[in-house]
Amino acid sequence: MNIKLNCPVCGYQEIEANSCPNCDTDLSLIRMLQELPQAQTPVPQAKFTGWQLGIALFILIIGMSLGSIGSFIFLQPQLNTLTVSSPNPVALSPRNPKPPANIPITPNQPPKPTTYIVKSGDHLSAIAQKFCGKDTSWQVIVKSNPQLKGREDYINIGEVLKIPTCKEKV
Ligand SMILES: [Zn+2]
């Protein structure tokens, strides 16, 4: 009943089983391909043509390489673990997981101008309201610019003032 096959791997001939008795190559796919045209066209004995054998071999090779790639990927993490967990665990142990403390923690705010140059006609309450909103007291500016104390009404044009963070309590 079974068509006799030649093993495409080792050349073993007249195999009736689904695998090569010599090299264990799985021949069921080749057998399926070979038996397929017979089932459809019963009269002419379809010969196993070269390109069919080629396709079968191709699929076989793809299957085998996929298998080896799969086991390679599967083995890879194990290899890594083996390398990592070997003899010097002290260097890898997270004794000191904190980052260096001198990294400045910047609040997540849009950058603001930090200084303001006094122009003609400016006065402190106008500057305070310009940067910190309506109803802001001029004292906010004095608070961040202590040099202004006592001459709040006599700021100089061109004088550089520090802009307050606008969170100061006055
Ligand atoms: Zn074989």
Side-chain angles (χ1 to χ4, degrees), residues 101-111 167:
N102 55 2
I103 293 174
I105 298 159
T106 44
N108 207 3
Q109 284 176 347
K167 285 171 188 161

Side-chain angles (χ1 to χ4, degrees), residues 106-119:
T106 44
N108 207 3
Q109 284 176 347
K112 278 180 156 189
T114 53
T115 56
Y116 175 74
I117 299 170
V118 176
K119 293 189 193 71

Side-chain angles (χ1 to χ4, degrees), residues 112-156:
K112 278 180 156 189
T114 53
T115 56
Y116 175 74
I117 299 170
V118 176
K119 293 189 193 71
S120 171
D122 272 340
H123 51 98
L124 289 184
S125 57
I127 297 169
Q129 286 168 25
K130 177 185 172 84
F131 289 103
C132 296
K134 263 170 71 174
D135 304 326
T136 307
S137 166
W138 55 268
Q139 292 167 290
V140 169
I141 302 290
V142 177
K143 180 115 176 168
S144 55
N145 294 274
Q147 77 276 14
L148 295 176
K149 267 181 190 157
R151 56 176 187 93
E152 288 87 352
D153 289 328
Y154 304 102
I155 53 175
N156 302 317

Side-chain angles (χ1 to χ4, degrees), residues 30-84:
I30 298 171
R31 185 177 297 285
M32 197 179 72
L33 284 173
Q34 194 174 9
E35 284 170 353
L36 200 60
Q38 284 187 328
Q40 286 167 346
T41 56
V43 181
Q45 279 280 326
K47 256 276 179 183
F48 199 46
T49 58
W51 66 269
Q52 281 174 317
L53 186 70
I55 289 179
L57 261 177
F58 183 64
I59 293 171
L60 196 73
I61 289 167
I62 297 253
M64 290 198 298
S65 34
L66 281 181
S68 51
I69 289 171
S71 55
F72 181 71
I73 291 170
F74 178 74
L75 285 174
Q76 204 57 11
Q78 291 183 332
L79 289 176
N80 282 344
T81 344
L82 284 177
T83 355
V84 166

Side-chain angles (χ1 to χ4, degrees), residues 7 9-12 15 20 22-25:
C7 175
V9 177
C10 70
Y12 194 91
I15 304 161
C20 172
N22 187 42
C23 69
D24 270 351
T25 302

